[in-house]
Amino acid sequence: MAIKVGITGGIGSGKSVVSRLLGIMGIPVYISDIEAKRITNTDEVIRRELCALVGEEVFQNGELNRPLLAAYMFGYPERTKEVNGIIHPQVKNDFRQWAGQLSSKPLVGMESAILIESGFRDEVDVLVMVYAPLDIRVERAMRRDGSSRDLVMKRIEAQMSDEVKRSQADFVIVNDDETPLIPQVLELISLLSKNNHYLCSAKNN
Ligand SMILES: CC(C)(COP(=O)(O)OP(=O)(O)OC[C@H]1O[C@@H](n2cnc3c(N)ncnc32)[C@H](O)[C@@H]1O)[C@@H](O)C(=O)NCCC(=O)NCCS
Ligand SMILES: Nc1ncnc2c1ncn2[C@@H]1O[C@H](COP(=O)(O)OP(=O)(O)OP(=O)(O)O)[C@@H](O)[C@H]1O
């Protein structure tokens, strides 16, 4: 049975970078943002419920109108809760199926900015928080998405505070543009893979 590692952290903290490093090290990672988008575009129940909540225009030419949904929900906590309530249960089912197919792997990951808020804490065995100071996160997200500060701040307000995230995490990876990132990821992997041996002995083959 694979050990399931949750990777969380606020927008711009560097979860995707950490997930990419894990991927390079042979650890499959379920990227919730990507999978949530795929599921939202293909699941008929989600489509029907989102149309009923937001309006038919939330899908355009069969595809989710992301800027429209983002404008509808971010900045309105009640709306965010309703949208999450439509999408997240399906993501949870999908993650379970995905992880089930990879049960022979020693480690698998699940990345989500809102892993705890969406009720995924119990789906993972170990929770890692990727931390970066707020000002750095905002600058990174603005640069990456070409977004305004206001848009980034609205998303941050829809996410749990770093303090609460940290209190639920087992490990913290600091990604503050100063602390070297790769040694932390390597140490995490080696800690979680104590009984796994990837390297073959040259003598015994
Ligand atoms: C609102 C949507 C359409 C906006 O799409 P867009 O391409 O602009 O953003 P993207 O999905 O790449 O998300 C970027 C970042 O926004 C933040 N974010 C996304 N969804 C949420 C949310 N429901 N609550 C808080 N923060 C969120 C995360 O930090 C995320 O990494 C999209 O984020 C979405 O469908 N969200 C609902 C599904 C969801 O909760 N996804 C998050 C993981 S399950
Ligand atoms: N250590 C780093 N050095 C240089 N750039 C970095 C570093 N960490 C992150 N970045 C850059 O900052 C931006 C945000 O990082 P990333 O996409 O990994 O954040 P995230 O936590 O996945 O955010 P989101 O919640 O929006 O998905 C990206 O453009 C990424 O390349």
Side-chain angles (χ1 to χ4, degrees):
M1 197 62 171
I3 297 176
K4 295 182 209 124
V5 187
I7 301 128
T8 195
I11 186 168
S13 56
K15 298 177 296 297
S16 305
V17 172
V18 169
S19 296
R20 238 175 287 143
L21 291 171
L22 293 174
I24 289 167
M25 302 295 289
I27 298 165
V29 182
Y30 184 95
I31 311 291
S32 303
D33 282 341
I34 294 176
E35 302 306 333
K37 279 185 194 131
R38 173 183 58 77
I39 294 166
T40 303
N41 274 322
T42 53
D43 186 291
E44 273 311 312
V45 178
I46 294 183
R47 186 177 288 257
R48 222 177 310 122
E49 291 185 8
L50 278 184
C51 284
L53 182 71
V54 185
E56 295 288 330
E57 63 279 15
V58 74
F59 286 92
Q60 245 175 10
N61 306 320
E63 291 276 306
L64 180 69
N65 183 338
R66 285 167 25 209
L68 187 135
L69 182 59
Y72 172 84
M73 63 188 265
F74 293 121
Y76 304 93
E78 277 310 311
R79 292 179 179 181
T80 304
K81 217 164 129 187
E82 283 184 287
V83 171
N84 289 345
I86 293 172
I87 299 174
H88 293 172
Q90 309 300 336
V91 176
K92 191 180 276 189
N93 284 340
D94 189 66
F95 171 69
R96 285 181 181 163
Q97 277 180 26
W98 177 89
Q101 284 163 5
L102 293 169
S103 59
S104 61
K105 294 267 178 193
L107 294 173
V108 298
M110 122 75 77
E111 182 210 306
S112 170
I114 49 171
L115 188 147
I116 301 167
E117 298 93 307
S118 342
F120 280 84
R121 179 62 188 93
D122 290 339
E123 301 292 319
V124 295
D125 304 299
V126 177
L127 183 60
V128 178
M129 176 192 176
V130 183
Y131 169 80
L134 182 67
D135 53 337
I136 294 184
R137 291 206 279 127
V138 174
E139 290 301 327
R140 282 178 184 160
M142 285 169 62
R143 204 173 325 127
R144 184 195 58 192
D145 300 337
S147 290
S148 68
R149 184 172 296 272
D150 185 50
L151 281 182
V152 175
M153 289 312 294
K154 280 208 172 92
R155 289 191 185 208
I156 287 177
E157 282 155 22
Q159 302 178 352
M160 191 177 254
S161 75
D162 278 354
E163 290 71 32
V164 181
K165 277 199 187 98
R166 189 186 282 259
S167 73
Q168 304 233 3
D170 299 296
F171 301 101
V172 175
I173 287 181
V174 177
N175 183 31
D176 58 359
D177 292 340
E178 283 178 22
T179 318
L181 187 59
I182 291 175
Q184 298 177 75
V185 175
L186 288 178
E187 197 174 334
L188 174 77
I189 296 172
S190 85
L191 203 85
L192 297 174
S193 329
K194 278 225 159 75
N195 297 316
N196 298 320
H197 303 286
Y198 295 104
L199 196 60
C200 293
S201 158
K203 301 261 157 31
N204 298 336
N205 290 322

